[in-house]
Amino acid sequence: MVMVPVAATAAGPDLPPATNCTVRLFPALGGRGSNAIASSSNGLVVGIADTAAGDAAPVLWRGGQPTQLAIPLQAVAPASVNAAGVVVGTGYDATNEVLVGWWWQDGQYHPLPVKPGDVAIPSAVSDSGIVAGALVADEEHSDGPGADEDERAAVWPSVTTAPRELTLPSGARGAHAFAVGADGTAGGVALGDDATPVLWAPDGTPKALPTLSGKGGVVLGIDSAGQALGQSSVADGTHAVAWAATGAVTDVGTAAAGPTSNATSGIAGVTVGAGSSPSFRGSRPQAVMWIGKSARILPPGSDAQFTGVSGSASSVSRQGANTVVIGFSAADNGLRRATEWSCK
């Protein structure tokens, strides 16, 4: 089942709900649970869904209708999809006991190219086909993916091209790129004595970014205007932040009024992610949409068999006259359902 622990704490009225938004729960693959992980600029959605047999399988939703991805690996985890329907992710090759980074398009599975001895961990794919992620030595990660100092941030100029490692900022021992912009700029984190948010120029040159407290942070997305988004450590948790082209950091999460928040995706004037509030707390996050710096909760979805109490937003795009947000709703027992919020 697609599950996540969610504490059953009481929720109260702290942040106003988003208005003029229609909530839709996406169907699974015959089972109960699902989780929308990412969406493309033209509305394709990728994630995980339960089958009738109770297994979790990778899925691509088009117009809200699911198609199971045929990936010949175990523990398959899609990470991103672009407007051309290219999906990237990871999975475990049990025969060779190694993690595999892959791409999929039009029903066809392919491994991402790497040199012998390396494992690909893709995290994002742009509409132009650039993939951002990391490389690790296969002997270090035969048991699955993980963010640690052994990772080397990398980009693939295309899904059929060998990766190019990105330069580490001074003092870093490893790095991972989690986002890629339209121009090939990559964003992520460098790991040394602390976690440092980083932008890499298209030529691979790194730029360490400031944080709100001078401590850890990470770039999780790059919006349609090229602005980096993510989270920064603060005294009592983490706050969603945005970095201007100059590198200046802005606290977006202040408006969420709680100790934890993060920003994962954005379009002009709109940022989405997850946030807590004094009564929701970090144990029951809510999907949040910031219009400018004004936070609004995206209410979790419900139907006859499912009642959402919490959630998170991972992607946002403009579809015609609507702002469409993708993420998940979660019930008291932790069951997730892939969710779309379509806002006027």
Side-chain angles (χ1 to χ4, degrees):
M1 303 292 287
V2 181
M3 305 284 282
V4 61
V6 178
T9 55
D14 297 275
L15 297 179
T19 57
N20 299 320
C21 293
T22 301
V23 187
R24 175 168 63 154
L25 298 175
F26 284 172
L29 295 167
R32 296 179 61 206
S34 59
N35 184 8
I37 295 170
S39 67
S40 68
S41 60
N42 61 347
L44 301 176
V45 180
V46 70
I48 296 288
D50 289 342
T51 67
D55 299 320
V59 61
L60 178 70
W61 286 276
R62 296 177 185 267
Q65 296 305 305
T67 298
Q68 184 172 339
L69 305 186
I71 307 294
L73 301 167
Q74 297 179 6
V76 175
S80 183
V81 60
N82 72 7
V86 175
V87 182
V88 298
T90 58
Y92 183 66
D93 179 348
T95 300
N96 297 302
E97 298 184 340
V98 66
L99 187 71
V100 175
W102 52 265
W103 65 280
W104 177 100
Q105 186 180 31
D106 297 331
Q108 299 296 313
Y109 155 86
H110 313 269
L112 270 175
V114 289
K115 68 182 182 182
D118 274 345
V119 169
I121 306 179
S123 293
V125 58
S126 72
D127 281 349
S128 61
I130 302 171
V131 178
L135 297 166
V136 291
D138 60 8
E139 65 269 17
E140 297 295 333
H141 281 256
S142 60
D143 58 347
D148 63 31
E149 63 192 24
D150 296 318
E151 294 184 355
R152 297 121 57 200
V155 295
W156 287 255
S158 75
V159 291
T160 59
T161 305
R164 174 169 54 87
E165 291 191 35
L166 301 174
T167 303
L168 291 175
S170 177
R173 299 187 299 268
H176 192 121
F178 293 108
V180 60
D183 66 350
T185 297
V189 63
L191 300 169
D193 293 335
D194 207 341
T196 301
V198 180
L199 280 180
W200 287 274
D203 66 0
T205 302
K207 179 180 181 179
L209 299 175
T211 60
L212 299 173
S213 62
K215 296 185 178 180
V218 58
V219 175
L220 297 172
I222 297 176
D223 70 15
S224 58
Q227 178 177 241
L229 306 168
Q231 68 183 42
S232 169
S233 294
V234 293
D236 56 353
T238 63
H239 278 188
V241 292
W243 288 274
T246 60
V249 62
T250 299
D251 188 345
V252 178
T254 298
T260 60
S261 61
N262 64 67
T264 56
S265 180
I267 56 175
V270 177
T271 303
V272 301
S276 62
S277 63
S279 57
F280 285 117
R281 308 187 189 282
S283 59
R284 182 173 280 181
Q286 297 296 316
V288 176
M289 175 171 64
W290 289 271
I291 301 174
K293 293 185 180 180
S294 177
R296 296 288 185 271
I297 288 176
L298 294 165
S302 299
D303 61 20
Q305 290 80 39
F306 175 88
T307 301
V309 298
S310 64
S312 182
S314 57
S315 302
V316 61
S317 61
R318 193 72 180 167
Q319 305 297 319
N322 293 340
T323 297
V324 177
V325 183
I326 294 297
F328 69 81
S329 303
D332 262 331
N333 65 0
L335 181 70
R336 289 182 177 182
R337 290 285 301 275
T339 305
E340 175 194 85
W341 294 269
S342 182
C343 305
K344 297 292 187 181

